[in-house]
């Protein structure tokens, strides 16, 4: 059941999502009709979890009552550490159709970009895997801090039917207070999700959109090699991939006829009618 404390900006069904990848990645998606959803703590920016943990601890220092009762602050800090135990798998897209940042990061300027109809893509994914959450990443540090502050002082206390001050005062007098334990549990659950959607402002140009899947008992975890280590992932099958792919864009550095014509032939052979076009970005090397 989705956590009602989680508020994310979602894409509209008629809008498009874009997946930047190298040539081998495009072949895998088009031919095998599948995505690889990466375990959340193995994503490209390995600092993501540490960033959210540090941000949360920083927000906790704003509350005098936590400073007065260091044991409470410690318990809440331990609650944030427990976020790392949560097991989610992530599919990453972007709402940017032709981004030099993403071309460089995911395809070394020589890859491809698959454009998907978001409504059909999300429906397709949900037919094989349960989508826990999906939405745009939050890059603004100010917004992130406000979300954490509101969770602590308003959202979770209201859900428990009492005020933040009362929860803290009761916990200060009795470290084993039941309301405080519930408070910490709900905070951990909410932050374990937000940790997947918080990212440093320096990455804002990516305009990333994530689809988060919860690992279940029947999830078959696979491993692939990346940069000399094993990367855990689960396979997400796309039964009607032909219907979801709108367009295939060739990266800026591949502005040669063979790059476009080769992909056109490959897509047609696999039964795709998607348009194949060149990036509008011109690079000189």
């Amino acid at each position: 059941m989705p956590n009602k404390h989680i508020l994310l900006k979602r894409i509209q069904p008629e809008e498009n999502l874009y997946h930047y990848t190298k040539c081998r990645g495009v072949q895998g998606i088009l031919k095998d009709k599948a995505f690889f959803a990466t375990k959340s703590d193995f994503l490209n920016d390995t600092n993501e979890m540490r960033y959210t943990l540090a941000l949360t601890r920083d927000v906790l220092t704003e509350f005098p009552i936590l400073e007065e009762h260091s044991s409470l602050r410690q318990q809440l800090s331990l609650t944030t550490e427990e976020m790392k135990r949560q097991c989610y798998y992530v599919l990453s897209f972007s709402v940017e159709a032709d981004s030099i940042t993403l071309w460089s990061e995911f395809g070394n300027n020589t890859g491809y970009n698959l454009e998907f109809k978001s409504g059909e893509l999300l429906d397709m994914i949900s037919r094989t895997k349960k989508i826990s959450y999906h939405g745009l990443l939050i890059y603004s540090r100010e917004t992130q801090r406000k979300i954490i502050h509101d969770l602590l002082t308003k959202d979770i206390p209201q859900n428990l039917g009492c005020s933040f001050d009362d929860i803290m005062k009761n916990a200060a007098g009795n470290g084993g207070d039941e309301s405080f334990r519930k408070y910490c549990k709900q905070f951990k659950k909410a932050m374990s999700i937000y940790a997947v959607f918080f990212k440093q402002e320096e990455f804002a140009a990516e305009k990333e959109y994530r689809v988060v899947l919860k690992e279940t008992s029947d999830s078959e975890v696979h491993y692939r090699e990346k940069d000399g280590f094993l990367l855990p992932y689960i396979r997400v099958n796309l039964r009607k991939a032909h219907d979801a792919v709108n367009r295939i864009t060739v990266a800026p550095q591949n502005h040669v006829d063979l790059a476009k014509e080769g992909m056109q032939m490959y897509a047609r052979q696999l039964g795709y009618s998607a348009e194949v076009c060149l990036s509008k970005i011109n690079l000189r090397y």
Side-chain angles (χ1 to χ4, degrees):
M1 184 172 126
N3 191 318
K4 64 182 180 180
H5 297 311
I6 307 301
L7 300 176
L8 301 168
K9 185 176 181 181
R10 291 185 170 185
I11 196 168
Q12 296 301 308
E14 66 275 9
E15 296 178 303
N16 296 319
L17 287 172
Y18 302 89
H19 186 71
Y20 292 75
T21 186
K22 296 179 181 178
C23 185
R24 185 172 61 179
V26 171
Q27 286 182 289
I29 294 169
L30 296 181
K31 184 178 180 180
D32 298 335
K33 299 182 181 63
F35 279 119
F36 291 168
T38 305
K39 195 169 184 295
S40 59
D41 48 349
F42 282 78
L43 294 168
N44 288 322
D45 178 18
T46 56
N47 190 50
E48 285 184 28
M49 183 61 73
R50 290 195 298 272
Y51 168 76
T52 303
L53 289 171
L55 180 66
T56 305
R57 292 193 197 101
D58 186 44
V59 173
L60 291 176
T61 64
E62 297 177 1
F63 299 98
I65 192 168
L66 294 177
E67 291 299 310
E68 294 171 13
H69 302 279
S70 59
S71 61
L72 299 186
R73 186 178 70 251
Q74 184 179 22
Q75 288 180 62
L76 274 173
S77 295
L78 289 173
T79 296
T80 64
E81 289 285 352
E82 291 177 22
M83 295 186 318
K84 292 187 284 189
R85 301 179 189 175
Q86 301 299 309
C87 197
Y88 295 104
Y89 286 81
V90 176
L91 292 173
S92 293
F93 302 91
S94 175
V95 295
E96 277 289 299
D98 198 2
S99 164
I100 187 61
T101 298
L102 294 172
W103 284 125
S104 176
E105 183 175 353
F106 294 101
N108 196 26
N109 293 318
T110 61
Y112 293 86
N113 167 1
L114 296 176
E115 177 186 287
F116 293 93
K117 305 169 187 175
S118 66
E120 293 186 22
L121 177 65
L122 292 169
D123 181 65
M124 205 175 302
I125 293 170
S126 66
R127 289 177 184 274
T128 58
K129 298 289 182 184
K130 183 178 179 181
I131 297 176
S132 296
Y133 302 90
H134 65 91
L136 284 163
L137 264 60
I138 301 167
Y139 298 97
S140 165
R141 188 177 178 88
E142 181 181 349
T143 301
Q144 294 165 353
R145 291 179 66 90
K146 185 177 187 306
I147 287 171
I148 297 171
H149 192 279
D150 286 352
L151 278 172
L152 289 166
T153 61
K154 294 192 299 186
D155 300 341
I156 296 176
Q158 286 175 7
N159 189 54
L160 294 174
C162 48
S163 70
F164 168 75
D165 288 341
D166 286 342
I167 292 173
M168 291 298 122
K169 288 175 182 176
N170 290 338
N174 177 8
D177 181 71
E178 180 64 21
S179 65
F180 186 69
R181 284 199 295 268
K182 290 180 179 178
Y183 177 83
C184 287
K185 183 177 180 180
Q186 290 192 22
F187 183 61
K188 179 195 73 174
K189 286 183 176 180
M191 287 310 303
S192 69
I193 293 296
Y194 272 126
V196 182
F197 289 94
F198 282 5
K199 206 167 183 177
Q200 291 173 254
E201 291 178 317
E202 290 79 3
F203 294 94
E206 294 176 353
K207 295 185 180 179
E208 188 176 350
Y209 194 96
R210 286 183 178 174
V211 179
V212 177
L213 313 169
K214 187 81 164 67
E215 183 181 9
T216 58
S217 57
D218 61 346
S219 295
E220 185 177 358
V221 180
H222 305 273
Y223 296 85
R224 58 189 174 95
E225 187 275 335
K226 181 185 178 184
D227 300 331
F229 64 90
L230 293 176
L231 193 71
Y233 71 91
I234 59 174
R235 182 185 172 100
V236 181
N237 294 317
L238 306 174
R239 293 174 182 168
K240 295 183 179 180
H242 298 81
D243 298 332
V245 181
N246 262 349
R247 179 183 296 137
I248 303 169
T249 303
V250 182
Q253 198 172 327
N254 271 7
H255 279 190
V256 293
D257 291 339
L258 292 180
K260 180 178 177 181
E261 291 174 11
M263 181 54 69
Q264 284 177 326
M265 291 178 63
Y266 184 71
R268 298 298 178 268
Q269 182 178 318
L270 294 175
Y272 290 86
S273 59
E275 174 191 2
V276 179
C277 62
L278 299 176
S279 166
K280 295 180 180 179
I281 298 171
N282 291 311
L283 296 179
R284 293 185 180 182
Y285 293 91

